Amino acid sequence: MSTLQLEGYSLHYEEGGQGIPVLLLHGLGSSGVDWELVAPRLSKGWRVIAPDARGHGRSDKPAGAYGVPLFARDIAGLCDALALGPVHVVGLSMGGMMGFQLAVDRPDLVRSLVIVNSGPELVARTLRRKFDFATRLLLLRLLGPKALANVLAPRLFPKPEQEGLRRRAIATFGANDPDAYLRATRGLLGFSVMSRLKDITCPVLVLHSERDYTPQSAKQAYVDLLPSARLQVLADSGHAAPLDQPGPLTDAVEAFLREVDGASPGSRHAG
């Protein structure tokens, strides 16, 4: 467990392994524990860093408006302070948005991108999406994170045998600071770097779960706009792929990182 002082607040991160650095960025209302089933394998070949975004997990929850550009700036500060760059960035959901923002704002820091069930914008373009966003914000404001957790957990893990994962999700989301969680949620709405995708020249792998909230076609549409990107499907998986399909997800990430690095993990134990 490590902490870094950034702009007057403490950023928590977990670290393991050695070699070329890999940043694991978590989803909204969670923390670096999103990657607890993935990080041990990746750390056998890479230096793995899993931070908790501001307002999340064990990081501080400073006052003020949150948003993807701010979260990405924090991650850039972490990379600069630890002299990490360029890094492989792997982001789930909100973490994928942070990865996109980092790639357009600080391309010098990003060696490659792996985007898991996410995209370069979160804009309500349909009545259904507007309703979904409004409902989520209303639940948060009126009932708090614990009530929202009870709604989200069955959607994330619908199978009877996933009861343990449902309980885990309820505990994780329910433990959020209500004010910080609300500010983080508001800060995602309206996010977009769609017009800047042409500027992302690093290799990009987009992982789509079969049961994700957004369809494969939506992800393929933005993949086609990226200069060097491809899409891969994770079978029998929902939005929280690092938890419900950690093995296949890690297989996909490892293969991609090896391809980008041009060497096997065992040869990358650089200082």
Side-chain angles (χ1 to χ4, degrees):
M1 180 180 78
S2 300
T3 57
L4 180 71
Q5 291 297 315
L6 286 176
E7 298 182 357
Y9 89 100
S10 295
L11 184 79
H12 170 87
Y13 63 96
E14 298 284 350
E15 182 175 6
Q18 57 183 320
I20 294 173
V22 178
L23 276 176
L24 301 179
L25 304 180
H26 63 80
L28 174 66
S30 192
S31 69
V33 298
D34 274 350
W35 302 101
E36 64 185 0
L37 302 180
V38 175
R41 266 186 58 186
L42 289 182
S43 65
K44 294 177 181 178
W46 292 268
R47 180 184 178 187
V48 175
I49 301 100
D52 294 350
R54 77 162 66 199
H56 292 75
R58 284 171 280 184
S59 290
D60 285 347
K61 298 157 182 68
Y66 291 172
V68 178
L70 178 61
F71 293 147
R73 191 175 75 201
D74 290 340
I75 298 304
L78 173 70
C79 291
D80 289 338
L82 300 182
L84 295 180
V87 303
H88 296 296
V89 180
V90 184
L92 167 67
S93 194
M94 181 184 81
M97 300 179 210
M98 293 160 63
F100 273 120
Q101 189 76 54
L102 194 65
V104 298
D105 288 347
R106 290 289 306 273
D108 59 301
L109 289 179
V110 182
R111 184 180 183 91
S112 74
L113 273 179
V114 179
I115 304 296
V116 185
N117 294 328
S118 185
E121 69 172 16
L122 189 62
V123 179
R125 302 190 185 280
T126 66
L127 286 176
R128 176 57 187 268
R129 290 287 278 173
K130 291 177 181 177
F131 175 79
D132 287 345
F133 290 167
T135 300
R136 183 160 182 161
L137 285 172
L138 183 64
L139 279 172
L140 265 179
R141 281 197 299 265
L142 295 181
L143 303 176
K146 290 183 180 180
L148 182 61
N150 284 293
V151 173
L152 291 179
R155 294 182 64 194
L156 288 170
F157 307 111
K159 294 185 175 184
E161 63 268 26
Q162 293 177 324
E163 175 61 26
L165 290 173
R166 285 193 293 276
R167 289 197 304 268
R168 179 192 184 281
I170 290 170
T172 298
F173 290 123
N176 274 283
D177 175 85
D179 178 62
Y181 193 11
L182 180 59
R183 283 184 286 135
T185 303
R186 284 176 173 158
L188 300 191
L189 306 182
F191 158 74
S192 179
V193 295
M194 189 71 77
S195 64
R196 303 169 69 186
L197 290 186
K198 65 184 184 299
D199 300 326
I200 299 177
T201 57
C202 69
V204 181
L205 172 65
V206 175
L207 295 178
H208 164 73
S209 291
E210 284 183 329
R211 298 191 306 275
D212 190 29
Y213 303 144
T214 57
Q216 181 177 340
S217 59
K219 298 183 180 74
Q220 187 64 57
Y222 77 71
V223 165
D224 293 340
L225 299 176
L226 287 159
S228 181
R230 66 175 182 264
L231 185 145
Q232 185 172 333
V233 176
L234 295 172
D236 192 26
S237 178
H239 187 68
L243 293 170
D244 71 16
Q245 288 293 350
L249 181 142
T250 309
D251 289 343
V253 172
E254 283 187 327
F256 177 69
L257 298 188
R258 289 191 192 109
E259 179 183 329
V260 173
D261 291 342
S264 65
S267 69
R268 284 189 311 281
H269 292 295

